[in-house]
């Protein structure tokens, strides 16, 4: 009986650790992962996901949100026409606890092995990192 209870508790703990939550933490790792994820949405042309990662997105009127998605789609298409980006990697960040913001430096790698560094300002809102 005791052994089956331990096995059951272990299984529950394992499943809980595998469950993805819809929240981030105020940490270097979390903000870098979020910035990398959002920029990957952009280069893949996933405009809806990209716009949903913007700060204060809940207050956007629907037509504004759709306009933003169209801008992202066109920019991603233009980037793809020029060869696209093969990899996005977070290099470093600066966290600012006073105003719950961060600045993430990303390395973009193009098909010809050229690297470009870009900065992405972020803000921690409602337990989630968002792009400013």
């Amino acid at each position: 009986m005791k052994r089956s209870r331990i096995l059951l508790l272990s299984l529950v703990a394992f499943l809980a650790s595998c469950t993805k939550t819809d929240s981030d933490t105020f940490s270097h790792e979390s903000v870098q992962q979020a910035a990398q994820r959002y920029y990957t949405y952009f280069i893949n042309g996933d405009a809806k996901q990209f716009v949903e990662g913007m700060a204060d997105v809940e207050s956007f009127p629907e037509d504004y949100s759709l306009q933003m998605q169209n801008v992202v789609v066109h920019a991603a298409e233009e980037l793809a026409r020029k060869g696209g980006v093969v990899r996005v990697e977070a290099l470093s960040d600066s966290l600012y606890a006073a105003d719950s913001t961060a600045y993430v430096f990303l390395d973009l790698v193009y098909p010809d092995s050229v690297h470009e560094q870009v900065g992405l300002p972020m803000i921690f809102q409602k337990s989630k990192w968002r792009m400013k």
Side-chain angles (χ1 to χ4, degrees), residues 63-129:
D63 61 331
Y64 179 75
S65 183
L66 292 173
Q67 288 174 8
M68 291 300 297
Q69 289 178 37
N70 286 334
V71 168
V72 171
V73 165
H74 290 298
E77 287 171 349
E78 183 63 20
L79 181 63
R81 193 175 62 74
K82 294 179 179 179
V85 173
V86 295
R87 190 175 78 233
V88 177
E89 182 180 346
L91 298 174
S92 64
D93 66 84
S94 298
L95 283 178
Y96 304 100
D99 61 357
S100 300
T101 62
Y103 198 82
V104 180
F105 297 92
L106 299 170
D107 182 43
L108 310 180
V109 182
Y110 293 91
D112 58 2
S113 298
V114 169
H115 290 251
E116 177 183 10
Q117 280 74 45
V118 297
L120 190 59
M122 306 285 286
I123 187 164
F124 197 68
Q125 291 182 328
K126 298 178 184 173
S127 300
K128 202 165 174 86
W129 282 108

Side-chain angles (χ1 to χ4, degrees), residues 2-118:
K2 187 175 181 180
R3 189 173 197 198
S4 63
R5 189 175 302 172
I6 291 172
L7 181 61
L8 180 63
L9 289 174
S10 297
L11 180 61
V12 169
F14 173 75
L15 292 174
S17 70
C18 293
T19 305
K20 185 175 186 257
T21 63
D22 196 29
S23 63
D24 296 319
T25 58
F26 192 84
S27 68
H28 295 284
E29 182 181 359
S30 184
V31 72
Q32 287 184 20
Q33 287 175 352
Q36 195 169 308
R37 181 175 61 247
Y38 293 137
Y39 218 90
T40 300
Y41 290 151
F42 168 69
I43 64 172
N44 290 333
D46 192 348
K48 186 173 180 4
Q49 291 281 57
F50 182 82
V51 171
E52 287 175 0
M54 293 180 170
D56 302 316
V57 67
E58 298 84 11
S59 65
F60 291 179
E62 187 176 341
D63 61 331
Y64 179 75
S65 183
L66 292 173
Q67 288 174 8
M68 291 300 297
Q69 289 178 37
N70 286 334
V71 168
V72 171
V73 165
H74 290 298
E77 287 171 349
E78 183 63 20
L79 181 63
R81 193 175 62 74
K82 294 179 179 179
V85 173
V86 295
R87 190 175 78 233
V88 177
E89 182 180 346
L91 298 174
S92 64
D93 66 84
S94 298
L95 283 178
Y96 304 100
D99 61 357
S100 300
T101 62
Y103 198 82
V104 180
F105 297 92
L106 299 170
D107 182 43
L108 310 180
V109 182
Y110 293 91
D112 58 2
S113 298
V114 169
H115 290 251
E116 177 183 10
Q117 280 74 45
V118 297

